[in-house]
Amino acid sequence: MEQYEPDRLSPAQVAAMRRSFTHGRAALTRRSLLRASAGGALAVGGLGTLSACGIPPAGKTEGGVSSEDRSKEEKEVSFSNWTEYMDIDESGRRHPTLEAFTRRSGIKLKYTEDINDNSEFFGKIQPQLSAGQETGRDIIVLTDWLAARLIRLGWVQKLDPAHLPHAFANLSPQFRDPDWDPGRAYSYPWQGISTVIAYNKKALDGVEVKTVSDLLDNPKLKGRVGFLTEMRDTVGMVLLDMGKDPARFTDDDYDAAIARLQKGVDRGQIRRFTGNDYTADISKGDFAACLAWAGDVVQLKADNPDVDFVIPDSGYITSSDNMLVPNKARHKTNAERLMDYYYEPGPAAQLAAYINFVCPVDGVKDELAKIDEDAANNPLIIPDKAMQALSRAFRSLSAKEETAYEEKFAKLTGA
């Protein structure tokens, strides 16, 4: 178990988090293209405090600490999730799949959309977890890198496979064995997030784009190419294009990828690095092609027939947002039952039809086709076996690597 250390955030890490708040994954909508940014200013202010003072030291805790599981006596579960990351009915007030779970199980849901950013949310729960206290939450949803951090710190509970039969059976192979949680002992994906190449057919005007090399090297695209401000997505895609495995790369590999991108910047090939504000650039044709997130591309294609995407033969980067049970959660069994419910094809299909992210549940296509046939046949939502085989994950980083890599990437992007 990793010992918690109240290290200061480096300037590069603060800059990376600020980018995420305003333009990156933190700004990604779960349904439309723009997420409301309420709380963003507070979050950035909080980061300033952390970078100036460091995170205050707190008490130690053992790994995987549980309190008495009160699931039988208290038929309830508290679920903290990202905004706009759940199906909603036409009234905008009810969540059909959650209500169906309550009707079936008798377990009442306290569903809270109080996660606007990984780092901001970590700041909310860190004092309790580091002190061995309950957070008031039974399920939390965190992106890979922070989920990995909490597992290493021993701040989340090991899941009981007996309570997760559907999850164990139906988890898509591409999400089964991340290096930070082998065999999914502590987490299950809520949704997947894929990085692909998007392009505007009219802006390309006959130029072929199939690879990241095309983005970086084709002179006909000079000044009309975009890369992402999220380090793992951009560097991961370049590593794949170079024939390197993002799950096993070295410092030298990383430096070579940064150097390759730097050449693109110096030659003016790369117009700019963006968060999800690339959506306007690619729609208008200011970008002929760019790296993009699949959830955005689904909506972009629906709105603009000139926009399409390609999956490079070298592969693409996929990460996930993951459900975890924090230490001292009062209703662990109820939480596991809810996790398992979303791995049944019916509820998984309803969720996928609404939010349009990568569904991590195998065998959901037929159910989804009953709701939305286009979504069921969209490989950005339901990847086929060939596309799953091209999916790659960016390996987890040590604190030292995180600081060094973000500093180099920040210098590249001018952040």
Side-chain angles (χ1 to χ4, degrees), residues 264-284:
V265 171
D266 294 343
R267 292 199 311 263
Q269 183 78 5
I270 298 174
R271 184 184 184 97
R272 66 191 183 102
F273 291 85
T274 74
N276 79 319
D277 49 329
Y278 67 79
T279 55
D281 291 304
I282 199 73
S283 293
K284 292 187 297 183

Side-chain angles (χ1 to χ4, degrees), residues 98-352:
L98 289 177
E99 292 185 3
F101 174 77
T102 295
R103 286 194 300 271
R104 179 206 292 186
S105 66
I107 298 171
K108 294 182 179 180
L109 268 293
K110 179 185 177 184
Y111 181 70
T112 309
E113 294 183 336
D114 60 346
I115 305 179
N116 292 301
D117 174 83
N118 286 288
S119 300
E120 177 193 11
F121 187 70
F122 179 78
K124 291 180 182 179
I125 62 175
Q126 176 268 326
Q128 295 101 317
L129 290 174
S130 62
Q133 301 169 355
E134 64 176 281
T135 65
R137 300 167 174 88
D138 300 305
I139 299 177
I140 54 178
V141 178
L142 302 174
T143 306
D144 290 349
W145 66 268
L146 186 55
R149 176 77 168 164
L150 263 64
I151 291 170
R152 291 197 304 268
L153 288 166
W155 287 357
V156 294
Q157 298 186 49
K158 194 169 186 178
L159 301 174
D160 186 345
H163 298 153
L164 295 155
H166 295 99
F168 181 80
N170 296 336
L171 177 61
S172 172
Q174 73 183 101
F175 296 106
R176 277 197 177 271
D177 202 32
D179 67 346
W180 48 270
D181 187 16
R184 291 289 181 179
Y186 293 89
S187 68
Y188 269 93
W190 176 248
Q191 295 292 292
I193 306 138
S194 295
T195 304
V196 300
I197 296 175
Y199 61 87
N200 185 306
K201 286 178 276 189
K202 185 179 292 185
L204 283 178
D205 193 26
V207 177
E208 189 174 62
V209 171
K210 290 186 175 181
T211 68
V212 172
S213 287
D214 291 333
L215 300 183
L216 288 171
D217 300 331
N218 191 327
K220 294 181 179 179
L221 299 180
K222 183 176 180 178
R224 300 191 296 138
V225 166
F227 282 77
L228 294 167
T229 54
E230 294 291 333
M231 180 268 287
R232 289 168 176 80
D233 296 321
T234 285
V235 175
M237 291 292 283
V238 174
L239 285 168
L240 283 168
D241 190 70
M242 295 166 58
K244 303 296 182 179
D245 185 350
R248 295 178 177 84
F249 67 90
T250 65
D251 287 348
D252 287 343
D253 294 333
Y254 183 89
D255 289 345
I258 291 292
R260 191 152 182 241
L261 286 161
Q262 188 65 59
K263 288 181 181 178
V265 171
D266 294 343
R267 292 199 311 263
Q269 183 78 5
I270 298 174
R271 184 184 184 97
R272 66 191 183 102
F273 291 85
T274 74
N276 79 319
D277 49 329
Y278 67 79
T279 55
D281 291 304
I282 199 73
S283 293
K284 292 187 297 183
D286 291 341
F287 281 166
C290 65
L291 295 188
W293 289 301
D296 284 341
V297 175
V298 171
Q299 196 67 47
L300 285 166
K301 279 174 57 66
D303 294 340
N304 186 340
D306 289 326
V307 175
D308 213 331
F309 74 97
V310 65
I311 303 295
D313 289 341
S314 59
Y316 65 101
I317 294 292
T318 301
S319 58
S320 58
D321 288 329
N322 309 278
M323 297 179 284
L324 306 103
V325 177
N327 283 357
K328 296 289 186 175
R330 292 168 62 93
H331 312 107
K332 180 175 181 285
T333 298
N334 291 344
E336 292 165 336
R337 290 181 65 185
L338 180 60
M339 288 182 181
D340 194 61
Y341 167 75
Y342 278 104
Y343 274 81
E344 296 179 27
Q350 287 181 262
L351 184 65

Side-chain angles (χ1 to χ4, degrees), residues 74-102:
E74 300 174 2
K75 303 290 284 185
E76 59 188 84
V77 64
S78 178
F79 184 1
S80 281
N81 203 351
W82 294 69
T83 58
E84 299 183 50
Y85 218 9
M86 181 67 72
D87 56 305
I88 301 175
D89 69 1
E90 292 182 0
S91 73
R93 294 188 297 271
R94 301 173 64 182
H95 301 293
T97 56
L98 289 177
E99 292 185 3
F101 174 77
T102 295

Side-chain angles (χ1 to χ4, degrees), residues 44-66:
V44 172
L47 281 173
T49 302
L50 289 177
S51 64
C53 306
I55 302 172
K60 299 178 182 178
T61 182
E62 296 296 325
V65 176
S66 63

